[in-house]
Amino acid sequence: QVQLVESGGGLVQPGGSLRLTCAASGILFSVYDMAWYHQPPGKQREMVAVITSDGVTNYAGSVKGRFTISRDNAKNTMYLQMNNLKPEDTAVYYCKGTYYVNNYWGQGTQVTVSS
């Protein structure tokens, strides 16, 4: 059974930091391209950051320079370090794993940026 489980969300003040974690099980994690998506209130889900199986990263323009995606294949885990958080970063954050036609999603973790 494939599971992607996000954690690390919460309430943070503007300018603060959070680190999200996505723990994977039931897949050969190292061959999967992994990504973080977010879904702000009332909006569609959109890609935030991607890290390929080779470790190549890409970011949405709105988070470039503030967020860092990384992975630890030995721990079957992906991370998203979020710094200088802004109110517009408020969203449910999801992790996604992709390998050819296989796509798996986590259940999401809420991030709220507010004073």
Side-chain angles (χ1 to χ4, degrees):
Q1 181 183 359
V2 177
Q3 279 194 311
L4 298 178
V5 180
E6 302 95 335
S7 61
L11 173 64
V12 63
Q13 292 187 341
S17 298
L18 283 174
R19 189 175 84 153
L20 304 184
T21 298
C22 173
S25 60
I27 60 172
L28 183 59
F29 181 78
S30 61
V31 305
Y32 275 71
D33 295 337
M34 299 298 297
W36 288 99
Y37 283 68
H38 74 187
Q39 187 165 15
K43 297 185 179 180
Q44 291 189 334
R45 194 176 299 189
E46 58 186 12
M47 189 272 289
V48 173
V50 174
I51 184 165
T52 70
S53 59
D54 294 329
V56 177
T57 60
N58 193 25
Y59 297 90
S62 60
V63 307
K64 198 170 292 185
R66 299 189 297 123
F67 291 10
T68 302
I69 189 171
S70 61
R71 64 191 296 163
D72 185 338
N73 289 339
K75 295 182 178 180
N76 290 351
T77 301
M78 174 179 64
Y79 306 96
L80 185 68
Q81 178 66 43
M82 305 187 295
N83 297 328
N84 190 21
L85 282 159
K86 303 177 180 181
E88 52 263 42
D89 296 318
T90 295
V92 179
Y93 283 73
Y94 299 89
C95 67
K96 178 186 176 184
T98 300
Y99 181 65
Y100 288 104
V101 298
N102 298 316
N103 289 286
Y104 300 106
W105 291 90
Q107 84 289 348
T109 185
Q110 176 70 45
V111 171
T112 302
V113 184
S114 175
S115 55

